[in-house]
Amino acid sequence: MTVTESAPRPTATFREGAFGPARELVCRECGTTRELGPHYACHECFGPLEIGYDFGTVTREQIEAGPANIWRYKALLPVPDDIESSPNLEPGFTRLLEAKNLAAQLGLTRLWVKDDSTNPTNSFKDRVVAIALSAARELDAKVFACPSTGNLANAVAAAGARAGIRTVVFIPSNLETPKQVNSAIYTENLVAVDGTYDDVNKLASEIAGEEDGWAFVNVNVRPFYAEGSKTLGYEIAEQLGWRLPDQIVIPVASGSQLTKVHKAFQELITLGLVEEKPYRIFGAQATGCSPVSAAFKSGHDVVRPVRPDTIAKSLAIGNPADGVYVLDIARQTGGTVEDVSDDEVRDAIVLLARTEGIFTETAGGTTVAVLKKLTETGQLDPTLETVVINTGHGLKTLDAVTDRVGARATIAPTYDAFVAAEIV
Ligand SMILES: *Cc1c(COP(=O)(O)O)cnc(C)c1O
Ligand SMILES: [Zn+2]
């Protein structure tokens, strides 16, 4: 094979095997490739780049012999083979719980909750951050940073602390107090920006362009970051006994997670790790920030940005980077994208807690509420096996339900008072 490209190959400066089976960056729009590195936009068409791989043979046995965290899938990720030896929070392999009570309540035959609230910083973001951290290390970044709607900042700050790398995290200043504290506890450098998430994101891109040595997990190392979401798809398939579900409901902020769960399912099929079968992917948004749902419903191929106004702040991205890909995947697989009101989100948080003992944040409330709506409107087939993803923990968004739940009665410490209160 002759190499015709005259440009130097910066990959040569990386450690041998730094990115495992990853070979190159590929433009999702025009297919142009370039070398692995801190790049996120195609130099031909400005389309988003994603990781291209050369997978060798990967077997179920090899994966099952791995650790009970995302590194069991390292043969499918852009990480070095010795990834387990670098300090990180070891996220993943969270529980997949059969939700019989919620299924009965909604009239579904078989329902599972993939509960990512049990990750180290209590959201699915620990998965994506672990991959971004590995890339940042291999790229010799000096600062580990992100613009965030909350959970990402928590995960970056914690992972950076453990890895001993300087962190700077940027959030919209109107974020819930628990999410601010959950970042500030791990880092001195929490920066609150007066603006929406989309303003924060723009600022981050500017800093990434001006400053050297900054790895913004979801900006200049986004192709690596995004691959972390694939592990959700791998785990669901493995935990179902190496099969794909029939239907899956996934929350949509930037749309990256939904896109990569689909990529994961496709890879598993291609590698022969699961049998090929049809599955439908549904996207969930809150009505107060539902640009993708709006585009889906009106049959548009473009996603028109909105200014978010919803309690589901972790999903409040008005200009979602992967919105158009979410539309494609929902349409291709026979799914839909649906949205629900803040009140429906609150009700669904309580519903999940009271049926399954799982306390989810507003993003999970959105997803469960959308599951309910999809079932009621007949968009989802109740006889098919369904998975719903809970992406974050309710303790981070307590305010959302403090008006909904509380003490049934306040009584004197006497048996008479208890009887008078008619609790049972
Ligand atoms: C970030 C986030 C999501 C969705 O993220 P995408 O940007 O769509 O990948 C979902 N749930 C929670 C709790 C999140 O923090
Ligand atoms: Zn391109």
Side-chain angles (χ1 to χ4, degrees), residues 350-424:
V350 178
L351 176 67
L352 181 64
R354 299 231 167 135
T355 51
E356 299 299 340
I358 299 170
F359 186 15
T360 184
E361 70 143 88
T362 46
T366 302
T367 314
V368 171
V370 163
L371 168 71
K372 182 167 183 276
K373 187 167 178 180
L374 293 170
T375 310
E376 287 167 357
T377 54
Q379 298 177 68
L380 183 137
D381 185 337
T383 67
L384 296 179
E385 185 170 38
T386 305
V387 173
V388 63
I389 301 181
N390 171 29
T391 47
H393 204 291
L395 286 173
K396 294 199 201 186
T397 60
L398 274 182
D399 282 356
V401 286
T402 42
D403 288 347
R404 282 283 199 288
V405 297
R408 165 89 171 264
T410 302
I411 61 170
T414 66
Y415 182 67
D416 284 351
F418 164 70
V419 172
E422 296 179 346
I423 302 292
V424 284

Side-chain angles (χ1 to χ4, degrees), residues 122-125 128 148-152 179 197 222 225 229 250-259 313-315 317 320 322 326 360-364 367 389-393 396:
N122 303 104
S123 89
F124 105 96
K125 290 296 197 302
V128 285
S148 170
T149 57
N151 285 316
L152 184 59
K179 286 211 180 122
Y197 170 79
R222 188 175 179 85
Y225 157 97
S229 285
I250 306 175
V252 173
S254 73
S256 178
Q257 178 181 135
L258 185 145
T259 310
K313 295 197 161 103
S314 54
L315 301 181
I317 297 184
D322 290 282
V326 169
T360 184
E361 70 143 88
T362 46
T367 314
I389 301 181
N390 171 29
T391 47
H393 204 291
K396 294 199 201 186

Side-chain angles (χ1 to χ4, degrees), residues 8 72 82 92 153 157 165 287 315 324 412 416:
R72 69 200 279 111
D82 61 357
I165 179 170
T287 306
L315 301 181
V324 292
D416 284 351

Side-chain angles (χ1 to χ4, degrees), residues 116-131:
D116 247 22
S117 70
T118 61
N119 270 314
T121 70
N122 303 104
S123 89
F124 105 96
K125 290 296 197 302
D126 292 314
R127 296 176 184 275
V128 285
V129 166
I131 311 291

